[in-house]
Amino acid sequence: MSYSVPFALINGRLLDPSSGLDQTGGVLIDQGLITNIGSHINIKYCERQKIPFQDCQGHCIAPGLIDMRMQVRVSGATLTESLSSTLQAAAAGGVTSMVCLPNTKPILDHAEVVSYLRHAANQAQKTKLYCYGSMTQNLAGQQLSEMGYLQQAGAIGFTDGMKAVDNPKVFWKALSYAKTFKSLILQYAEDPRLAEGTLATQSYLSTKMGLPSVPACAESMQIGRDLHFVALTQSPYHSFPITTKTAAGIISQAKQHQLPVSCSTSPAYFCLNEQAIQGYQTLAKLSPPLREESDRLAVIEGIKNGLIDCITSDHSPQDDDSKKTTFVQSSAGAAGLETLFPLSLRLHHQHGMGLLALLKCLTSNPADILGLSQGRLQIGKPADMVVFDVAKSYAIDIHAFRGQAKNSPFHHFPVKGKILQTYVNGRQIYNNF
Amino acid sequence: MAAAVSFPQHLLAIEDLSALEIQAFLALAENYTHPSFVQNQRSLLKGLTVINLFFEESTRTRTSFELAAKRLGADIINIATATSSLKKGESIRDMVLTLQAMKLDVLIIRHPESGSVDFISKQISSGAVINAGDGTHEHPTQALLDALTIKRHKKNISGLKIAICGDVLHSRVARSNIHLLGKLGAQIHLVGPRTLIPQYFSQSNIQIDYSLREGFQNADVIIMLRLQQERMQGAFVPSLEEYMDFFGLTMEKLKHAKPDVLVMEAGPINRGVEISGQVADNLSYSAILEQVEMGVAVRMACLDALTQKKRLPT
C-alpha cells in the first residue's frame, strides 16, 4: 500500500475502545491520518471514489498497541538486540507506539541522549519510540535529573526503570519537581533493599530450591510508602509492574481516595506463576519474580475490574549466552514485544474479559496516562492501527520472532489471536496477512 | 511628621505588625531618604548604645545598621559571635543578660535559627530588639526596605501584581515580604520549581505558578530570591544550568511582565544563576542598588521608631 495516496481497509470488525465502537465497516486513511470510518466505508464507496482498498475478511481493525514499558539497547549491544531489530519485533507484535526505560547505555539522564534516541527512531519511520528520562542522575537515586531539559528533548515521564528511588526525601523531591513540568513519575514497585540479591518470590518453592527470595510485600511496601508522598504533592504517579494481590489492594484504596495513581502489569504476571522456574528454568527468571498462583489470579482480577490500567510488554532483550547459565548467574527478563498481544488476549478468551475492555488496556489507557493523542480509531487521529485475527489458535514459536532476542518463557505456549498487519501513520510496517 | 500610631517595643516580625504600623514605619523611613532630614537627626541617638549581635555572617545588613546608627549619633558596637564568649561555653541567655547589664538600648540580632531572636527578646527587660534575620523565619527590615523601594516607583502597593520568584521555601526575605505585601493589599504570585515553593501559602491573595511565563504575566514588580547553592545537596533542583534556564530572570523572560516592571533582589546576587547580569545592571528595570540605599534609610527609621519612648523628655 502506498503511503502517499489515500487507501481504505474495508470489511473489518472496527474496534475503538475509547469510544466503544464495535461494528463492521472500514477505515479511510489519507496523509497518515484516519479521515473516515464506519460501515459506509465499503467496496461500493471505494469503487465510487476510486480508492485502493484491502478487504480485511472480517478480521478486527483496532488502534495499534501502545506499550508503556519496554527496554531498548542503544549501543554496543548488538549481541542482544539492535534498535532496528527491536523496531521489527514491535511491528510484528502490533505495537505502534512504545516507551523505553532510561537504563540504556548511555543512560537517558541527559537531554542529548534522549534527542539521539528520538532522532534514530524517527529516521526509521516504524513504531513510534518515546522514552522516559531518568528520575535521578545516573540512576543512582540521590540527585534529581534535569527533568526540564529532558522533557524539552522529548522525555514523556521520569523513572529509574528497574529500581525504585528509595530515599524518601529524594523521591518526594522528584514527585514535586516533576509536577513543576506537569510530568509523570513512574516508579518500579519493589523495595530495593529487600529485593537486593534475590532471584525469586519468597515461597515454599523458592525455599525448596534454595534460591534467595523476596517477600511479596516488598511490592506493596514500596507503593504504600510512595502513596503518602503522592497524597502530599498530588503529583501524578504510575506504579509498575503490579504482580501481587497486596499491591492491588493498596492501589485500589488509593484510587478510592481519588489519588492521581495509575498502574500497569505485563503478561508474564497473569499467564505464569512461580512454578515456571521449576527445574531452574532461566527463561522464567524475571524481575520482579513470578509470584504465587493467588497473586496471578489477583492480577487477572485487577485488570478485569479496571484497577490495573494498562498491560505492557516489559520487553527485556537478553542474549542467549546470558540465559544459558546457572539460574543464579542468569540475566533476568524476557523478550515481550511479540507475545504481548496473544498473551493479553487470554484475558478475553479464557477469563471472560470483553474485547474492547481488554484492548483499552493496550491502547487508549496508556495513551491517556501519557498524554498521547494516538491509541484511538477515530477521524483525525494518526492512522496507527492493527489488523488481527482474534480467533486463530497456534503455539508461540520463539524462532518465528522477527526480533533478534528470543529469551521468552512462552515457547510452545498455546494462544489464540494473531497480528496480521501493523500500520504507523498509515504506512504498513508489518504484513502477515 | 508625628506618628498617629505608637511603635511596638521590638521589631521581630512583620507578621506581628498591622498595616497601619507598617505604613507608619514606611512614612518615617521616607523622611530618612532626604539628606537634609538625615543631617538634622545626626544627634538623635546621642548617648544611646546600639549593639549588632550577629550569630551569622553578614556584611551588607550589619554595615547598613552600623551606618544607620552612626548617622544618628549612637554608640554602636559590633559583636561577631565567632570571637565571643559563646566559644567558652557561655549560653546565649547569659550573654544577653550580661550585655543588658551594661545598659544597652537597642539590640540588633541575626541568628541562623528560626525563633531565636524571639527567645532573646524575652530575656531582656529593657531595650529594643530588632530582628536582622532569624533562620528561615523573618527579616523585617528587608521587607520594609523592599516596600519603600516599590512605593518610590509605584506609589501604591495595593492592587499591584508582585511576583516573588525562586527559593521561597528557605527564604526569610520571602516570608517577610509575603506578610508585608499581603497586608498592604498586593496580589502575590509565588513562582519557582515545586520543590522550592511550599504549597501552604494558599490565602486568597496568593497564587502559585511553576512557570515564569505564567507567574510573570503582567507583573508590576518581580522580586528575585537568591538560589542558595547549598540547597543542591538537598536534591531540591538538579543543576544550576537547568535552574537558570527555567527559573532564572533574563531579558527574554521580562517580556511577559508589564513594560515598566520593577526588578528587585536582596543582595548578594548570583549572576547567571537566578538573574542575568544584563537584567541586574539594567537601570530601566533593576532597583537592586536602590534597595541598598533604602536599607540605610529604613534602618535609621527603625532605630528612631524603637527608641522614641526612651528619648521622651523627662
Side-chain angles (χ1 to χ4, degrees):
Chain A
M1 290 290 171
S2 168
Y3 176 61
S4 53
V5 297
F7 72 98
L9 300 176
I10 64 166
N11 193 19
R13 178 182 171 192
L14 301 170
L15 292 164
D16 180 39
S18 73
S19 65
L21 177 72
D22 183 352
Q23 65 169 89
T24 314
V27 186
L28 181 63
I29 297 110
D30 192 10
Q31 306 291 321
L33 297 177
I34 295 172
T35 52
N36 212 331
I37 181 170
S39 53
H40 58 286
I41 308 294
N42 51 27
I43 192 163
K44 280 206 183 70
Y45 178 94
C46 294
E47 281 168 351
R48 221 177 24 244
Q49 308 275 351
K50 295 190 176 26
I51 292 173
F53 60 87
Q54 170 188 283
D55 185 335
C56 294
Q57 298 171 22
H59 289 306
C60 298
I61 305 173
L65 307 189
I66 298 179
D67 179 7
M68 65 181 284
R69 185 183 162 91
M70 51 82 64
Q71 296 178 44
V72 297
R73 306 293 178 228
V74 174
S75 61
T78 43
L79 286 178
T80 51
E81 192 164 85
S82 62
L83 179 60
S84 101
S85 170
T86 305
L87 291 170
Q88 281 193 322
V95 173
T96 54
S97 295
M98 56 192 182
V99 196
C100 71
L101 298 181
N103 59 338
T104 45
K105 283 190 174 72
I107 293 168
L108 294 172
D109 66 352
H110 277 88
E112 295 78 18
V113 189
V114 171
S115 293
Y116 163 76
L117 189 58
R118 300 265 298 139
H119 181 71
N122 283 341
Q123 294 277 73
Q125 292 194 35
K126 295 213 168 110
T127 299
K128 294 169 180 171
L129 175 62
Y130 299 88
C131 57
Y132 298 122
S134 68
M135 213 192 301
T136 64
Q137 290 181 25
N138 212 27
L139 301 176
Q142 297 300 322
Q143 183 73 11
L144 300 180
S145 63
E146 293 172 321
M147 295 187 192
Y149 286 146
L150 289 168
Q151 187 185 59
Q152 251 178 9
I156 62 172
F158 299 97
T159 179
D160 270 8
M162 293 303 293
K163 49 186 168 136
V165 171
D166 185 48
N167 182 323
K169 278 184 180 165
V170 177
F171 182 70
W172 179 18
K173 299 291 174 293
L175 266 181
S176 283
Y177 198 65
K179 189 165 184 175
T180 308
F181 303 99
K182 302 188 174 77
S183 192
L184 178 67
I185 288 284
L186 307 100
Q187 174 93 305
Y188 185 66
E190 193 175 52
D191 183 314
R193 286 166 297 174
L194 289 178
E196 197 177 359
T198 64
L199 318 168
T201 198
Q202 195 172 83
S203 67
Y204 171 67
L205 178 64
S206 61
T207 307
K208 196 167 58 118
M209 290 171 75
L211 296 173
S213 57
V214 60
C217 66
E219 184 169 289
S220 45
M221 278 175 64
Q222 188 63 47
I223 299 173
R225 200 286 309 269
D226 292 349
L227 288 175
H228 288 291
F229 294 120
V230 177
L232 194 57
T233 60
Q234 291 297 318
S235 194
Y237 168 85
H238 184 91
S239 180
F240 58 7
I242 302 300
T243 71
T244 63
K245 55 185 175 289
T246 41
I250 291 197
I251 299 268
S252 173
Q253 276 175 34
K255 286 189 170 186
Q256 274 166 43
H257 284 112
Q258 319 252 330
L259 291 184
V261 171
S262 59
C263 63
S264 56
T265 189
S266 50
Y269 303 105
F270 57 81
C271 294
L272 299 173
N273 60 33
E274 58 169 349
Q275 301 299 323
I277 68 170
Q278 292 247 43
Y280 300 94
Q281 178 50 265
T282 57
L283 291 173
K285 181 177 177 183
L286 305 179
S287 187
L290 292 168
R291 305 288 185 185
E292 293 181 282
E293 177 66 3
S294 54
D295 293 310
R296 183 184 80 90
L297 295 173
V299 171
I300 291 171
E301 199 46 48
I303 300 171
K304 283 176 69 176
N305 65 24
L307 178 71
I308 297 177
D309 304 280
C310 311
I311 303 172
T312 72
S313 72
D314 216 357
H315 182 75
S316 175
Q318 308 291 342
D319 67 88
D320 283 347
D321 289 335
S322 76
K323 286 284 191 181
K324 283 182 177 150
T325 178
T326 66
F327 193 85
V328 173
Q329 292 183 27
S330 164
S331 59
L337 284 170
E338 295 179 77
T339 52
L340 171 64
F341 180 73
L343 293 176
S344 296
L345 272 189
R346 279 168 72 85
L347 294 168
H348 169 60
H349 289 305
Q350 296 195 351
H351 298 284
M353 192 174 183
L355 187 55
L356 276 183
L358 168 67
L359 289 174
K360 202 156 197 257
C361 297
L362 294 163
T363 58
S364 57
N365 278 355
D368 288 344
I369 288 168
L370 296 169
L372 300 173
S373 67
Q374 55 263 49
R376 280 159 246 272
L377 207 69
Q378 290 164 20
I379 293 176
K381 294 295 174 194
D384 298 349
M385 310 172 299
V386 284
V387 179
F388 66 86
D389 181 339
V390 71
K392 173 141 175 115
S393 289
Y394 60 105
I396 289 178
D397 177 9
I398 59 171
H399 301 298
F401 282 178
R402 297 294 172 98
Q404 198 176 340
K406 315 284 187 215
N407 56 309
S408 169
F410 292 106
H411 193 41
H412 297 318
F413 203 78
V415 287
K416 218 167 140 184
K418 201 167 172 68
I419 299 284
L420 300 173
Q421 289 178 332
T422 310
Y423 294 84
V424 169
N425 290 333
R427 176 196 290 267
Q428 190 181 82
I429 61 169
Y430 174 74
N431 187 14
N432 195 17
F433 208 125
Chain B
M1 170 174 108
V5 162
S6 71
F7 291 103
Q9 183 191 357
H10 304 302
L11 178 57
L12 301 179
I14 299 290
E15 191 180 3
D16 302 334
L17 300 177
S18 69
L20 274 176
E21 284 170 319
I22 293 169
Q23 298 282 24
F25 271 108
L26 291 176
L28 187 55
E30 206 280 326
N31 289 339
Y32 277 101
T33 63
H34 301 292
S36 52
F37 184 88
V38 174
Q39 251 311 88
N40 280 341
Q41 306 293 85
R42 65 188 184 282
S43 303
L44 188 76
L45 301 189
K46 195 171 158 92
L48 296 188
T49 307
V50 177
I51 298 183
N52 264 340
L53 185 57
F54 275 58
F55 294 84
E56 205 183 69
E57 286 290 327
S58 165
T59 318
R60 229 172 229 82
T61 307
R62 193 171 52 72
T63 310
S64 185
F65 271 112
E66 190 175 339
L67 274 176
K70 282 193 162 131
R71 284 178 189 167
L72 296 177
D75 294 325
I76 170 96
I77 313 282
N78 289 309
I79 301 182
T81 53
T83 51
S84 76
S85 54
L86 290 178
K87 284 262 182 265
K88 296 182 192 168
E90 185 184 35
S91 75
I92 292 177
R93 191 165 167 273
D94 281 325
M95 175 200 235
V96 171
L97 290 173
T98 308
L99 291 174
Q100 191 185 218
M102 299 186 217
K103 302 271 180 290
L104 57 82
D105 298 295
V106 183
L107 189 55
I108 301 164
I109 311 170
R110 170 173 282 192
H111 195 285
E113 290 166 19
S114 300
S116 50
V117 177
D118 183 81
F119 167 74
I120 292 173
S121 74
K122 292 180 166 107
Q123 308 311 311
I124 65 172
S125 51
S126 74
V129 174
I130 299 180
N131 181 3
D134 64 324
T136 56
H137 176 227
E138 285 238 23
H139 189 359
T141 56
Q142 180 71 44
L144 285 168
L145 74 87
D146 286 344
L148 185 64
T149 310
I150 294 172
K151 282 190 81 154
R152 276 160 65 95
H153 290 265
K154 305 287 180 185
K155 300 288 176 287
N156 278 322
I157 287 177
S158 173
L160 288 183
K161 177 172 165 179
I162 302 183
I164 300 179
C165 177
D167 186 357
V168 174
L169 180 62
H170 301 106
S171 171
R172 53 192 174 212
V173 169
R175 282 169 181 72
S176 291
N177 268 315
I178 288 168
H179 287 305
L180 190 150
L181 298 171
K183 284 177 205 261
L184 295 191
Q187 177 71 25
I188 296 168
H189 285 250
L190 301 178
V191 195
R194 176 108 179 31
T195 44
L196 294 176
I197 308 286
Q199 75 261 47
Y200 301 105
F201 289 115
S202 52
Q203 292 99 289
S204 55
N205 63 325
I206 298 179
Q207 201 174 296
I208 294 178
D209 296 299
Y210 302 128
S211 96
L212 254 53
R213 190 163 23 89
E214 284 153 29
F216 283 1
Q217 204 58 240
N218 293 324
D220 295 292
V221 181
I222 294 172
I223 299 178
M224 297 304 294
L225 301 172
R226 184 176 68 87
L227 177 70
Q228 289 155 54
Q229 296 189 27
E230 54 275 27
R231 307 300 161 206
M232 294 297 114
Q233 272 75 39
F236 289 92
V237 294
S239 69
L240 294 181
E241 290 77 17
E242 178 156 297
Y243 185 82
M244 179 63 196
D245 249 326
F246 287 89
F247 303 105
L249 182 57
T250 59
M251 292 300 294
E252 189 59 38
K253 304 225 184 97
L254 267 186
K255 290 183 184 154
H256 302 295
K258 288 208 173 100
D260 62 347
V261 65
L262 189 67
V263 173
M264 296 168 44
E265 181 172 351
I269 67 174
N270 284 350
R271 282 163 188 266
V273 179
E274 72 272 354
I275 189 166
S276 75
Q278 248 193 323
V279 176
D281 296 334
N282 187 330
L283 292 175
S284 317
Y285 299 106
S286 168
I288 291 174
L289 291 174
E290 190 181 340
Q291 284 173 274
V292 178
E293 192 192 331
M294 294 303 106
V296 182
V298 158
R299 285 161 183 139
M300 283 194 277
C302 290
L303 289 171
D304 179 340
L306 297 184
T307 56
Q308 279 185 359
K309 289 204 182 74
K310 202 156 269 211
R311 289 183 285 111
L312 280 175
T314 47

